[in-house]
Amino acid sequence: MGETFVATHATAAGGTDPAIDADVLVVGAGVTGIYQLYLAREAGFSVLMLEAGAGVGGTWYWNRYPGSRYDSESYTYGYFFSRELFNDWTWPEVFTGQAESERYFNHVVDRFDLRRHIRFDARVVAEDWDEGTGSWTVRTADGSEVRARFVVNATGVLSAPVYPQVPGREDFRGIAHHTGLWPEEPVEFAGKRVAVVGTGSSGVQVIPAIADEVASLTVYQRTPNWCVPLNNRVIPAEEQARIKADFERIREIVTDNDTGFLHVPHDRATFDDTREQRWAFYETIWRAPGFAKLTTNYTDLFTDRDANAEWCAFLEEKYRGIVQDPATVEKLIPRDHLYAGKRPPFVTGYLETFNRPDVDLVDLRETPLPRPMTFGRGTTSRSVPSCSISASPVPWQNSRKPPATWTSGCSSTTPAATTAPASPPTEPRRPSTSSLPKHSGPSGAAAAWTCSRSAAPTHRRCAGSSTWQAGHTAISPIPPTSPGKRSTTSPTGPPGSTAAPIPTSVRPSALSAAATRYSR
């Protein structure tokens, strides 16, 4: 790529070893990898980084699909190792979009002169330890080898796209895109019939982001999740000044607490309040930004099944107040888990999208995709779409290139719980829209993939950052979110629900039945 790579051989102890390419080799130029590279160099080690892509940012390099953005506050997602860096950068929104995030990581790399230590388009395929020399030999896909004393694999959990092996997927005659390998060139959706397969974290972002553009949109959903508003907004200048002045306090809070967020935990358990107090509090939480719905909710949300079930009942009310069609809203309400039983997405306009006459929702548990894969036939009244976006929950062993069928213009398909991952390809290059073939399918069919997340139930804080990254079990895209329509229904229970209204007593004995309703 025309880059100059620098890796001196002086070790931290002052010795040299010409057989070693670098003391510390970092794999992956994402949030954590960049910081590890910086720390190792500042400690006096010779350093080198290998990155599969052509740029830095990790997740925020690969996932450039429409609607991709943070669901952690921007100014707490960035690095805290330099006050000057913190003051230099101005985040325009509370939850910034992908393009701004990628720009930030490029700024960091250039500001601290790290780019010369990075080798791009270098996907690691093997790492071998040599006990005799006390070193690692790391091989890349092009056959190159690098020797290092220490290897830091900062590969993360959010950048491995998945392509499910579903019979007939290759028969789709359009062009497919995966959200985790979205091309840098704009994708043209205008006037096309689009299918999105998967309604996980990426799916729920991209669906409302493209709804205004397309001729029609068919959403194929396997498992609904509890989606709540992201509540994004622009950060005004006076607030920007306060944030920068509060650097020390913010850094202390986000690095010392259990969540990594700048949120003040609530001080009460659910049934310490009356029912009226609880419903008023839930309204406040509904309007809270992003993860505050978890971190500032009642203290027993994750330890008391009945407490969580009541929050779910409130959310069901909201769903029914936003989505107009009763049959559609039933498909969108989770019945197999309570809130945060799966990584909850934070959305902007997602539920409202299903009120559009040109948007259909297909429940894949009721109506499986047909074989061969002809989106629209046998699953919905829509005609065969000219564009498809989909995802799969099966990790694809660190591959960043779609299977060979991609070059045939294949579309994505719904994930099957028992589907085995496809064999990983050998070349980790992002596809170009210009290089994808245009077939004779309907309306010059085009398709798009949503990216899958590996299932990791715990949060991991990125080194040098306040960010906690949650492993996704979801299988599709997510957009920025805004508050949905406010429910005008009575707070006695979800309208149209067959469940009994929530009693007004402080500790209702019937509430355990409500918990079963959302996790049967």
Side-chain angles (χ1 to χ4, degrees), residues 125-161:
V125 296
E127 296 174 350
D128 297 316
W129 171 251
D130 188 325
E131 189 70 38
T133 61
S135 64
W136 290 91
T137 298
V138 178
R139 288 188 294 280
T140 58
D142 64 1
S144 300
E145 292 188 351
V146 175
R147 289 190 61 204
R149 297 199 181 282
F150 305 98
V151 173
V152 179
N153 286 302
T155 50
V157 297
L158 300 180
S159 295

Side-chain angles (χ1 to χ4, degrees), residues 30-36 39 57 59-60 72 76-81 105 154-158 254-255 259-260 459-470:
V31 183
T32 300
I34 291 171
Y35 184 57
Q36 295 303 305
L39 284 180
T59 291
W60 305 107
S72 300
T76 66
Y77 194 99
Y79 298 111
F80 284 91
F81 63 81
F105 291 112
T155 50
V157 297
L158 300 180
V254 300
T255 57
T259 66
H459 292 136
R460 300 175 182 273
R461 180 156 51 186
C462 296
S465 166
S466 63
T467 307
W468 286 73
Q469 295 185 333

